[in-house]
Amino acid sequence: MSRIDFMQGNTACAEGALAAGCRFFGGYPITPSTEIAEHMAAKLPKVGGVFIQMEDEIAGIASVIGASWTGARAMTATSGPGFSLMMENIGFAVMTETPCVVVNIQRGGPSTGQPTMAAQGDMLQCRFGSHGDYSIIALSPASVQEMYDLTAEAFNLADRFRIPVFVMADEIIGHMRERLMIPDSVHRGERKLLGKGNLPYQADDDLVPGFPVFGKGYGVHVTGLTHDERGYPCATSPSVHECLVKRLVDKVESARDSIASCDIVNPDARVVFISYGAPSRAVEQVLHDIHNDNVGHLRLKLVWPFAESLLSRFSNAETFIVPELNMGQMAREIKRHTNRRVIPVPKLGGALHDPFDLAALVEELL
Amino acid sequence: MKGDEAACVLFDAGHRACGGCAAAMAARFILEAAGKDTIIVSSTGCMEVFSTPYPETAWNVPWIHSLFENNSAVASGIVASLKKQGRKEKVIALGGDGATFDIGILCISGAFERGHDFTYICYDNEAYMNTGIQRSGATPYDASTTTSPAGKCSYGNPRPKKDLPAILAAHGAPYVATASIAYPPDLKKKVEKAVNTPGPCYIQIHAPCCTGWGFESEKTITIGKLAIETGLWVNYEMEEGKVTRVKKVVRKPVEAYLTEQKRFRHLFKPKRNDAEIAKIQAIADRNAEKFGIDIKLKA
């Protein structure tokens, strides 16, 4: 029997991870994400898992990468400054194709910024923050329910694509408390293991090689250096590097339409909001208040890779309005993919968009 | 104190520390000893936050908030540049135990190895208090924190406190000392000595936290004294790697210290855990033996 509970977003995130079979958490306290670590510290020992408080966020993500190679589902959680410290290791996880989940409860930046206030200022950092070309998946929960559901799903995506998957929440969603339906069980995908006779980095049709768990009879060289299909360092061959990096990007990008996850309201509308995370709550209020079929909403649950095909679902749209708690990070991406008008509605400082302001903007456009 | 000096308290009113905060007392004592020609580099942490609610900064000296992990590296740049300009200001890098024992140790180690002329002061309240009481490398054995919660699977923090003074002495630091806010004249003497000793010096100040440890705010000094009197904290000085001065005490059993604080309550309630209390007593006994702190009373 599923059950109804009432909890904080950060707690729901930790519960979703536990339900998905996460048995390792390595992390470091940082506002506004700390409740996730605290909940894991209390709960993981009871289910046979491991919680380690590491000495900083660099060590936090690195321990998660290590745990993942033992076959465990592993995660860390942080916020802006810690996220910045993790960037080199994120690239390492990408290059070594290590499945892991990184939760970022975003706060105001740059630097120490606004530790207790919400922001969405790390949306481009999560996509591009480590050096070199690569691709990742980022999810953005807009409710306590989605903190649970999307964190659980993040583990499946991480295992399927062998990449770091980001849960890009924000302080509002992390700290809000609301109703949550806890299902009996959540769908748990399997991490595809390396097949007998396959080379360690020989990809299948999905461009993802099977995973050789440490200690299970595979002889594998795991390295952040450019490597060939055998896993051998091969850092001076242009063709090996090009082939590897293209595959790392393509394994995610070629799946972007099939993994796209969103809510669509009024697909025939002329004016369409595009949102993710906390600003979605303000947009939902606008749609509820003005009750007009000419106003639509595309709410992204999966933000990266951005599936531009979603825009064509709104065939009558003249204008896309993109409210974000940043200076227009995803609006920039959306503009890249459409000739229609895109109006960013940036918001800084930690307060959510006022639905009245958004409604006034819509009325001007209709 | 002369009139003009009294008029300028270097760590002044305008901070928002909890009542009974030992870290705030430490800051005041540090600057009283170091004097007005001091530059402070402050890591992220309670002290950084409570001392600077703009526009009410408590600091009447130049002050920079670094990041969490890098105060010693920022201090390195300040010290090296001052030296090149022929200037003589004292530079103090100030951090809590999280910033010092955990996230910042890389930058501290680098600065000590390079031998910059500065003083690193750790106000040690034995956990991450700014983010809400998570364990650190300075958290004592069996203390309950939000990330080392006592319960069915645990008696609290499973590891003893890291011996950071020994680590920094091993870097060849000319002066390393421990102090306590319960003994201000001693603390101030040590700060004065450190800032006037060439090279990288380290002081670790025991700073009881009423909020994080769970005691009434008027008991900060009492708790600080009990830590010394039970041998769970030892005040000592090390010069060129050798212990040169130790505060001696007539020791009390560790329970006198433990029972005053909620973070150790699980060792006594719902029932007394003699085995764990004995392990903590053994830590005090080892400290006593190592530093020779016991005053032998005549029978």
Side-chain angles (χ1 to χ4, degrees):
Chain A
M1 276 289 286
S2 60
R3 63 185 174 89
I4 304 297
D5 209 327
F6 181 80
M7 65 172 70
Q8 191 193 60
N10 281 344
T11 315
C13 170
E15 284 291 326
L18 291 166
C22 174
R23 290 296 176 266
F24 183 94
F25 186 103
Y28 190 74
I30 184 166
T31 307
S33 78
T34 309
E35 295 84 0
I36 300 172
E38 289 175 345
H39 197 72
M40 292 302 248
K43 288 292 181 74
L44 272 171
K46 294 178 182 166
V47 295
V50 182
F51 169 88
I52 311 183
Q53 187 177 314
M54 299 299 287
E55 67 272 25
D56 60 20
E57 289 88 348
I58 298 174
I61 176 75
S63 69
V64 165
I65 290 168
S68 183
W69 277 91
T70 71
R73 284 193 153 183
M75 78 181 292
T76 188
T78 189
S79 190
F83 200 55
S84 290
L85 283 179
M86 288 181 185
M87 284 301 137
E88 188 185 12
N89 273 280
I90 297 297
F92 179 62
V94 166
M95 196 61 149
T96 53
E97 301 184 66
T98 306
C100 56
V101 172
V102 179
V103 179
N104 180 349
I105 310 298
Q106 295 171 86
R107 69 191 221 185
S111 195
T112 313
Q114 296 177 289
T116 60
M117 303 294 273
Q120 295 178 311
D122 310 345
M123 297 309 296
L124 291 180
Q125 188 186 19
C126 81
R127 174 65 187 80
F128 298 107
S130 198
H131 57 280
D133 287 294
Y134 62 96
S135 193
I136 49 78
I137 293 174
L139 306 165
S140 180
S143 63
V144 170
Q145 185 70 52
E146 285 184 355
M147 285 295 273
Y148 185 98
D149 296 343
L150 295 186
T151 303
E153 182 56 19
F155 286 93
N156 293 335
L157 290 165
D159 276 344
R160 176 172 157 197
F161 291 96
R162 285 187 63 179
I163 50 167
V165 172
F166 299 95
V167 179
M168 297 297 289
D170 53 72
E171 188 275 337
I172 292 172
I173 303 300
H175 280 164
M176 74 194 301
R177 287 171 163 82
E178 61 186 1
R179 185 176 180 273
L180 165 70
M181 195 279 293
I182 297 179
D184 286 343
S185 64
V186 298
H187 168 66
R188 280 194 206 179
E190 289 289 315
R191 191 183 296 184
K192 179 178 69 183
L193 298 179
L194 182 61
K196 285 236 160 39
N198 280 12
L199 291 170
Y201 285 91
Q202 185 185 335
D204 300 318
D205 289 344
D206 59 2
L207 304 178
V208 182
F211 190 87
V213 180
F214 276 172
K216 299 285 180 191
Y218 305 102
V220 183
H221 182 122
V222 182
T223 176
L225 280 164
T226 292
H227 44 270
D228 61 18
E229 288 186 330
R230 297 169 300 172
Y232 293 2
C234 202
T236 55
S237 160
S239 61
V240 168
H241 186 78
E242 185 178 1
C243 181
L244 172 60
V245 174
K246 275 190 167 165
R247 182 175 64 73
L248 294 177
V249 171
D250 287 348
K251 70 176 176 178
V252 180
E253 293 298 328
S254 64
R256 65 181 181 270
D257 289 330
S258 65
I259 60 176
S261 176
C262 64
D263 276 346
I264 288 177
V265 181
N266 294 341
D268 298 325
R270 280 164 44 214
V271 176
V272 176
F273 283 100
I274 303 181
S275 72
Y276 56 94
S280 309
R281 309 292 287 240
V283 173
E284 281 162 7
Q285 188 66 45
V286 173
L287 264 73
H288 176 267
D289 291 348
I290 63 179
H291 215 73
N292 183 330
D293 291 347
N294 272 321
V295 183
H297 188 189
L298 168 61
R299 183 171 73 81
L300 302 169
K301 298 184 201 177
L302 190 145
V303 179
W304 294 113
F306 178 69
E308 70 267 27
S309 61
L310 294 175
L311 299 177
S312 55
R313 303 271 288 275
F314 295 87
S315 48
N316 298 331
E318 293 155 10
T319 308
F320 293 114
I321 303 175
V322 189
E324 296 179 85
L325 299 178
N326 58 40
M327 302 249 315
Q329 297 195 6
M330 290 309 295
R332 185 188 175 98
E333 175 71 9
I334 292 159
K335 272 184 192 168
R336 227 161 62 80
H337 295 292
T338 181
N339 293 324
R340 289 175 275 183
R341 190 175 174 198
V342 176
I343 303 180
V345 189
K347 185 93 177 166
L348 299 176
L352 202 50
H353 299 78
D354 186 330
F356 291 109
D357 294 342
L358 295 179
L361 179 59
V362 170
E363 272 157 26
E364 269 176 42
L365 294 167
L366 285 175
Chain B
M1 196 182 278
K2 288 180 206 153
D4 56 338
E5 282 175 11
C8 184
V9 176
L10 296 173
F11 185 82
D12 209 341
H15 67 74
R16 296 180 190 174
C18 303
C21 173
M25 296 177 211
R28 185 166 172 145
F29 300 148
I30 289 164
L31 280 183
E32 280 175 7
K36 65 180 172 45
D37 295 327
T38 303
I39 296 169
I40 300 279
V41 186
S42 200
S43 287
T44 303
C46 267
M47 174 94 81
E48 167 259 317
V49 171
F50 74 62
S51 67
T52 58
Y54 182 82
E56 300 170 0
T57 180
W59 301 93
N60 282 318
V61 294
W63 180 91
I64 181 171
H65 168 213
S66 61
L67 299 173
F68 207 172
E69 67 273 23
N70 65 351
N71 64 353
S72 299
V74 173
S76 298
I78 292 172
V79 171
S81 186
L82 288 176
K83 189 178 172 189
K84 206 72 187 162
Q85 296 171 40
R87 289 165 60 178
K88 304 282 184 202
E89 289 102 314
K90 314 290 186 197
V91 177
I92 294 178
L94 197 55
D97 48 289
T100 306
F101 283 60
D102 297 345
I103 194 170
I105 194 172
L106 185 72
C107 288
I108 300 171
S109 178
F112 273 61
E113 179 270 320
R114 290 188 301 271
H116 296 291
D117 183 11
F118 80 121
T119 298
Y120 191 103
I121 300 181
C122 170
Y123 64 98
D124 180 5
N125 53 26
E126 303 190 325
Y128 292 83
M129 300 314 182
N130 188 39
T131 44
I133 321 164
Q134 293 81 32
R135 78 165 294 275
S136 77
T139 301
Y141 182 72
D142 270 359
S144 186
T145 72
T146 57
T147 51
S148 61
K152 279 178 191 158
C153 303
S154 161
Y155 300 128
N157 186 46
R159 297 287 301 160
K161 197 176 173 83
K162 188 193 283 189
D163 188 357
L164 202 64
I167 293 169
L168 293 176
H171 281 69
Y175 183 71
V176 170
T178 56
S180 164
I181 54 86
Y183 300 88
D186 175 71
L187 189 162
K188 286 165 70 171
K189 222 184 289 174
K190 286 168 174 167
V191 172
E192 209 177 323
K193 194 161 176 179
V195 298
N196 289 303
T197 300
C201 298
Y202 177 68
I203 299 178
Q204 190 168 305
I205 301 175
H206 197 227
C209 171
C210 51
T211 310
W213 299 7
F215 60 82
E216 293 301 321
S217 58
E218 74 272 16
K219 286 197 168 173
T220 303
I221 302 296
T222 309
I223 300 282
K225 283 193 167 160
L226 280 169
I228 297 267
E229 288 164 0
T230 54
L232 285 172
W233 182 273
V234 181
N235 268 356
Y236 60 90
E237 289 180 289
M238 289 174 90
E239 287 166 81
E240 305 297 345
K242 296 258 185 317
V243 177
T244 50
R245 215 176 121 255
V246 172
K247 178 166 176 58
K248 300 197 174 199
V249 292
V250 178
R251 264 198 304 145
K252 295 177 175 169
V254 293
E255 283 158 79
Y257 178 66
L258 304 178
T259 51
E260 292 288 327
Q261 306 170 52
K262 275 189 194 157
R263 62 177 174 159
F264 296 114
R265 186 171 52 184
H266 57 284
L267 300 178
F268 300 92
K269 285 178 183 171
K271 69 172 196 280
R272 196 185 151 88
N273 188 334
D274 285 315
E276 287 301 302
I277 295 166
K279 286 182 195 169
I280 298 172
Q281 185 61 54
I283 292 170
D285 294 346
R286 276 199 299 276
N287 284 344
E289 195 188 338
K290 180 176 172 189
F291 291 100
I293 62 173
D294 283 334
I295 297 173
K296 303 275 188 271
L297 293 175
K298 285 175 190 163

